[in-house]
């Protein structure tokens, strides 16, 4: 019986081997097909998709820019405080050195005189008639010396306090500079990515989508009559001056972190416009919105500041008729645009 079963086992084994080979080949074919499918390159984004990605990057870069502006404002303030502390410490050190010199002169004189009491020296002098006057002088000199020592001690104490405050400011400044570096890297990274994406588009596509010399906003240059009309409708002379300044800066390039006079970011433009009108504004959008009285959209007048996005990351100068002048992003210069092209977040009347 063993001799009858062996051929069956070989035949069964052969069938199994052939079946396994078939499955293996089928699996290989399937795997090859899947590999070919997954190996296909992803389709290139359409110009509209590129534009949407670039717009998103610009918004993110603007948020980071405002954070950079805020950190820079604080770093500049810390630098000014540190410089003031150092100047004050230097003045006190100069006074302390003068006091030390005076005390040193007294000590040297006493050493040269052999350490005799000044009153005894006068009593033994060749002019005893001046004795009484001399004693009074010595008493006054002793009082002045005591006062000099007291002032020197006080100056030394104040100098140490100033040095302690300066150390605190140095720590703060170091932290602010590290924060500046982080925000700068974020901004430059996002803008570089945006430039790479835009380089995939033709000049015509960039212009059509608002990322070139063409513009989704107002493409016509406002004339002097329009600028005068907008200024005339402003609630006061300072707002009118800010509007006039914004009109004069139409066409200026957007540069992140810039406050003029030849380039601006969004809050840099509004700050410069009101600086020209004699009004000091904070540096950032999220501080500027609290720099005046809030007004509703239906109450807007030329010169009001209009803010956009939930994080208050963009600002422009309202000029009337639902329009503003703003510094949009690196792909477009300072321009006129409708305020409804971005999510409206609020408005402030500065003066």
């Amino acid at each position: 019986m063993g001799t009858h079963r062996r051929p069956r086992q070989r035949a069964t084994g052969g069938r199994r081997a052939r079946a396994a080979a078939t499955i293996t080949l089928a699996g290989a074919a399937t795997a090859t097909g899947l590999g070919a499918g997954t190996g296909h390159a992803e389709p290139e984004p359409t110009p509209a998709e590129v534009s949407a990605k670039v717009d998103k990057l610009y918004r993110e870069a603007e948020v980071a820019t405002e954070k950079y502006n805020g950190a820079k404002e604080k770093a500049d303030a810390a630098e000014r405080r540190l410089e003031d502390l150092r100047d004050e410490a230097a003045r006190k050190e100069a006074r302390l050195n003068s006091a030390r010199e005076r005390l040193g002169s007294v000590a040297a004189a006493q050493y040269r005189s052999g350490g005799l009491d000044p009153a005894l020296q006068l009593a033994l002098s060749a002019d005893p008639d001046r004795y009484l006057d001399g004693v009074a002088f010595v008493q006054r000199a002793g009082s002045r010396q005591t006062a000099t020592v007291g002032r020197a001690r006080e100056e030394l104490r104040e100098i140490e306090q100033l040095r302690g405050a300066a150390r605190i400011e140095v720590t703060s400044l170091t932290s602010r500079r590290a924060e500046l570096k982080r925000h700068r890297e974020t901004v430059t990274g996002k803008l570089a990515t945006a430039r790479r994406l835009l380089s995939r588009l033709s000049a015509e596509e960039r212009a059509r989508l608002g990322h070139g010399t063409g513009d989704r906003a107002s493409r016509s240059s406002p004339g002097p009559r329009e600028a005068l009309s907008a200024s005339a409708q402003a609630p006061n002379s300072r707002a009118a001056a800010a509007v006039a300044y914004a009109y004069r800066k139409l066409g200026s390039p957007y540069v992140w972190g810039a406050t003029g006079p030849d380039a601006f970011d969004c809050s840099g433009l509004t700050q410069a416009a009101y600086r020209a009108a004699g009004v000091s504004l904070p540096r950032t959008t999220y501080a500027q919105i609290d720099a005046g009285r809030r007004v509703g959209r239906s109450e807007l007048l030329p010169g009001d500041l209009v803010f956009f996005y939930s994080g208050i990351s963009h600002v422009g100068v309202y000029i009337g008729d639902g329009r503003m002048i703003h510094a949009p992003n690196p792909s477009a210069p300072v321009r006129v645009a409708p305020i409804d092209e971005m999510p409206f977040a609020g408005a402030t009347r500065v003066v």
Side-chain angles (χ1 to χ4, degrees):
M1 292 182 64
T3 57
H4 294 292
R5 288 175 184 157
R6 284 174 188 162
R8 286 191 190 120
Q9 288 172 352
R10 283 197 300 271
T12 302
R15 283 196 300 274
R16 287 176 178 169
R18 283 194 299 275
T22 302
I23 291 169
T24 301
L25 289 172
T30 302
T32 302
L34 288 172
T38 56
H40 291 161
E42 291 185 6
E44 283 290 316
T46 65
E49 289 171 336
V50 169
S51 179
K53 288 180 180 178
V54 168
D55 285 340
K56 184 173 183 292
L57 285 165
Y58 281 155
R59 286 196 300 274
E60 292 171 348
E62 194 159 47
V63 171
T65 296
E66 291 306 308
K67 290 180 179 178
Y68 172 89
N69 291 339
K72 188 173 188 306
E73 191 173 43
K74 291 175 182 176
D76 290 345
E79 283 195 77
R80 288 193 296 271
R81 288 194 301 269
L82 180 59
E83 192 63 28
D84 289 344
L85 287 168
R86 286 173 172 166
D87 287 345
E88 181 63 17
R91 286 192 293 270
K92 289 187 178 296
E93 284 175 353
R95 288 197 292 268
L96 176 61
N97 290 336
S98 296
R100 283 173 169 165
E101 287 175 5
R102 289 194 297 273
L103 291 171
S105 298
V106 172
Q110 289 178 345
Y111 177 78
R112 286 193 300 270
S113 67
L116 288 176
D117 182 82
L120 182 59
Q121 292 179 50
L122 285 173
L124 297 176
S125 71
D127 192 357
D129 292 336
R130 298 180 57 191
Y131 175 75
L132 294 177
D133 291 338
V135 169
F137 170 78
V138 169
Q139 289 173 344
R140 289 196 301 273
S143 298
R144 284 198 297 272
Q145 182 176 337
T146 301
T148 300
V149 171
R151 283 196 299 271
R153 286 175 176 168
E154 181 65 18
E155 295 285 0
L156 187 58
R157 184 183 65 80
E158 291 178 358
I159 288 168
E160 287 305 315
Q161 288 178 340
L162 289 169
R163 286 173 177 168
R167 284 192 291 270
I168 293 172
E169 288 299 340
V170 167
T171 301
S172 172
L173 184 56
T174 301
S175 174
R176 297 297 181 195
R177 284 173 173 167
E179 186 180 359
L180 278 175
K181 183 180 178 183
R182 289 195 302 272
H183 294 318
R184 184 187 298 112
E185 289 172 348
T186 299
V187 173
T188 55
K190 290 184 182 297
L191 294 181
T193 302
R195 282 194 297 271
R196 285 196 297 271
L197 287 169
L198 286 173
S199 68
R200 301 179 183 180
L201 304 180
S202 66
E204 292 77 9
E205 288 171 329
R206 290 196 296 272
R208 178 169 54 82
L209 293 166
H211 292 292
T213 54
D215 204 329
R216 285 174 295 187
S218 173
R219 290 179 183 151
S220 60
S221 297
R225 183 176 298 176
E226 180 180 331
L228 287 172
S229 174
S231 297
Q233 296 174 47
N236 53 63
S237 60
R238 289 187 173 182
V243 169
Y245 181 92
Y247 269 101
R248 290 197 300 273
K249 296 304 175 179
L250 286 171
S252 299
Y254 177 102
V255 175
W256 73 272
T259 59
D262 302 316
F264 306 88
D265 62 18
C266 71
S267 58
L269 175 64
T270 52
Q271 186 187 48
Y274 269 96
R275 183 170 59 238
V279 179
S280 178
L281 284 184
R283 179 64 182 91
T284 63
T285 51
Y286 47 82
Q288 287 181 5
I289 197 171
D290 294 322
R293 178 173 66 85
R294 298 287 185 95
V295 293
R297 187 164 179 165
S298 62
E299 305 172 85
L300 288 173
L301 291 174
D304 291 346
L305 301 184
V306 282
F307 300 86
F308 303 91
Y309 301 107
S310 60
I312 316 297
S313 59
H314 193 75
V315 63
V317 179
Y318 188 70
I319 58 171
D321 297 324
R323 298 177 306 154
M324 65 177 171
I325 293 176
H326 72 142
N329 56 57
S331 72
V334 174
R335 66 188 185 187
V336 174
I339 64 172
D340 59 3
E341 79 170 7
M342 289 176 284
F344 186 81
T348 290
R349 185 159 298 154
V350 177
V351 290

